[in-house]
Amino acid sequence: MRTYRLELDLQLFSQEKTEQATPKKRDEARKKGQIARSADLPGTLIMMFTFLSFIMLGGFYKQHILMLFGNLFEDWLLMELTTGNVMTFFTDITLELLFILAPIFGVAFIIAILGNVVQFGFLLTGEPLKMKFNKINPINGFKQIFSMRTVVEFLKSVLKLLIIGILVFSAIWKEWDRILVLASLPIQQIFTFTAGLTVTLGIQIGAVLAVLALADFFYQRFEHNKSLKMSKQDIKDEYKKSEGDPIIKGRIRERQRRMALQRMMQEVPKADVVITNPTHFAIALKYDATKMEAPKIIAKGMDHVALRIKEIAKENGVVTMENKPLARALYERAEIGDVIPADLFQAVAEVLAYVYKMKGRVKSS
């Protein structure tokens, strides 16, 4: 009973998601569009940099706004509209508005791209756009409504409204005396004061919200890493899927080894000589002066493989010679299919000469 409970506990422990996600799982999640990002960060950066552009391009905006309203009050209100000039009138207004809005659109477009690239790099995927029925599942919908993420988002919204309210109240309170006398000031001073207060408020609110969005990004990354965590069993299953089952791979390697050993044994009868240790090593050599520059090793082995090589050599009439130093040197310094090392040419040549001499005596007898 205790053993069963222990096995059950170990199984449950292996299913706990305590391990960091593997690179493979992170790549798969990224391809599916599952990334750590804050939706607030691009918006707050757009807001802050847009108001900063009002300061940097103040002369440009002033020139075109004055041109727009100057033409409106000086020329267009007194102009007699006809079918011939109405298109020109609307074209001029449209062009002036485009000149005024173009920098805003440009800043918003660039910052929107940078705000996302900074978070997760370049990513183009259509996976989130695919139709999935679990997205319209009411049970999943209720779970999301009453989830911890929803609570965090609600608290974030309340905090942002509170901060914006405090900043607006503080800015108006500081300038309250000037606001009270605005009605007695010229139009240009009213416009300058209002524009300055608006830009200052916009930059302050954008900066504070950017800090909150940055904190939200780190929170989203924490939640994303947490959601990707894997159990020990998940990691094992992924390894089996990508690398193959170790048991099956072991069987394949064993089968390949047996096939290679079988092919090697089929070459032993073609050998000119088998040099032995005598029991630990066996190396089969072949030399054909018309095709080879030097003798070549066609089979080698130790212990039971060496014993099998000697048995096959004996069955097929291949000469076996005992030479302990030469056998060990050939086994350690050359592989199957290699020619013998140059410094062993003399020793092997003497062995082959002796073998050929023996074969000549047998033929003559």
Side-chain angles (χ1 to χ4, degrees):
M1 185 67 180
R2 289 182 178 178
T3 304
Y4 174 75
R5 290 185 62 184
L6 179 61
E7 291 178 354
L8 184 61
D9 291 340
L10 290 174
Q11 185 177 4
L12 292 174
F13 177 74
S14 67
Q15 295 297 330
E16 292 182 1
K17 298 186 180 298
T18 57
E19 307 300 315
Q20 293 297 326
T22 60
K24 184 175 183 296
K25 184 170 183 180
R26 290 184 181 277
D27 290 339
E28 290 177 352
R30 181 178 174 83
K31 291 176 182 178
K32 294 178 182 179
Q34 299 173 3
I35 49 178
R37 64 181 295 268
S38 170
D40 297 335
L41 189 58
T44 54
L45 291 177
I46 288 172
M47 177 182 178
M48 185 172 66
F49 280 96
T50 298
F51 280 101
L52 284 173
S53 71
F54 291 154
I55 296 176
M56 294 183 291
L57 303 175
F60 171 84
Y61 287 118
K62 179 180 179 181
Q63 176 186 349
H64 284 276
I65 290 174
L66 289 177
M67 187 180 299
L68 176 64
F69 285 97
N71 291 334
L72 178 63
F73 290 115
E74 293 178 7
D75 300 326
W76 294 335
L77 289 180
L78 303 176
M79 182 177 65
E80 182 180 355
L81 293 178
T82 63
T83 55
N85 62 13
V86 68
M87 287 303 298
T88 304
F89 170 69
F90 283 111
T91 301
D92 292 341
I93 293 179
T94 304
L95 288 176
E96 285 298 329
L97 289 175
L98 286 176
F99 277 122
I100 294 172
L101 296 175
I104 299 175
F105 289 151
V107 170
F109 179 76
I110 294 172
I111 298 302
I113 294 176
L114 292 177
N116 286 293
V117 169
V118 166
Q119 295 185 78
F120 53 83
F122 290 97
L123 176 63
L124 292 175
T125 177
E127 189 69 24
L129 301 177
K130 290 183 179 179
M131 181 63 181
K132 295 180 181 178
F133 290 102
N134 60 350
K135 292 182 178 179
I136 57 176
N137 189 337
I139 297 176
N140 292 338
F142 280 115
K143 288 181 179 179
Q144 292 178 359
I145 292 174
F146 297 103
S147 64
M148 181 59 67
R149 182 182 292 271
T150 305
V151 175
V152 172
E153 293 296 326
F154 173 74
L155 293 177
K156 257 185 358 183
S157 300
V158 172
L159 180 61
K160 286 191 287 187
L161 288 174
L162 184 63
I163 290 174
I164 292 172
I166 292 173
L167 290 175
V168 172
F169 176 79
S170 175
I172 293 177
W173 182 260
K174 289 179 181 178
E175 302 291 342
W176 185 248
D177 293 336
R178 295 184 62 185
I179 292 173
L180 292 177
V181 298
L182 280 180
S184 60
L185 297 177
I187 293 293
Q188 187 171 0
Q189 292 186 20
I190 295 175
F191 178 80
T192 301
F193 170 77
T194 306
L197 182 61
T198 303
V199 170
T200 302
L201 265 177
I203 294 173
Q204 290 178 352
I205 293 172
V208 173
L209 293 183
V211 173
L212 292 178
L214 191 62
D216 178 59
F217 167 69
F218 286 110
Y219 170 76
Q220 297 295 340
R221 190 165 69 173
F222 168 77
E223 285 292 321
H224 178 68
N225 291 334
K226 183 179 177 182
S227 67
L228 291 180
K229 278 191 173 181
M230 306 170 67
S231 65
K232 294 182 182 297
Q233 187 62 40
D234 292 336
I235 295 177
K236 291 180 181 178
D237 294 341
E238 182 186 281
Y239 177 78
K240 288 181 180 180
K241 189 181 295 184
S242 59
E243 300 294 333
D245 193 324
I247 298 176
I248 296 175
K249 289 179 69 176
R251 291 176 180 173
I252 293 173
R253 284 195 297 268
E254 177 63 22
R255 186 173 181 182
Q256 290 174 341
R257 189 186 67 80
R258 288 180 181 178
M259 292 175 64
L261 183 61
Q262 184 178 1
R263 286 195 299 269
M264 182 183 73
M265 294 303 179
Q266 291 173 353
E267 294 293 319
V268 174
K270 303 176 185 178
D272 293 318
V273 63
V274 173
I275 302 174
T276 65
N277 195 23
T279 57
H280 291 88
F281 301 105
I283 296 90
L285 298 178
K286 181 178 177 58
Y287 179 60
D288 186 349
T290 60
K291 299 179 181 178
M292 304 176 186
E293 296 180 357
K296 183 170 69 173
I297 297 175
I298 60 173
K300 74 171 189 175
M302 63 183 298
D303 297 333
H304 69 278
V305 178
L307 182 61
R308 182 59 182 157
I309 291 174
K310 288 188 290 183
E311 289 175 355
I312 296 174
K314 185 177 180 181
E315 292 172 0
N316 291 272
V318 178
V319 178
T320 301
M321 290 191 63
E322 180 181 333
N323 189 325
K324 296 180 181 179
L326 183 58
R328 179 178 291 274
L330 288 172
Y331 185 88
E332 293 178 350
R333 296 174 56 188
E335 298 297 329
I336 298 172
D338 294 345
V339 297
I340 62 173
D343 57 327
L344 299 178
F345 279 2
Q346 182 64 35
V348 173
E350 292 176 359
V351 171
L352 289 174
Y354 178 75
V355 170
Y356 294 151
K357 187 176 180 180
M358 286 183 59
K359 287 182 178 180
R361 289 177 182 175
V362 172
K363 288 181 179 179
S364 61
S365 62

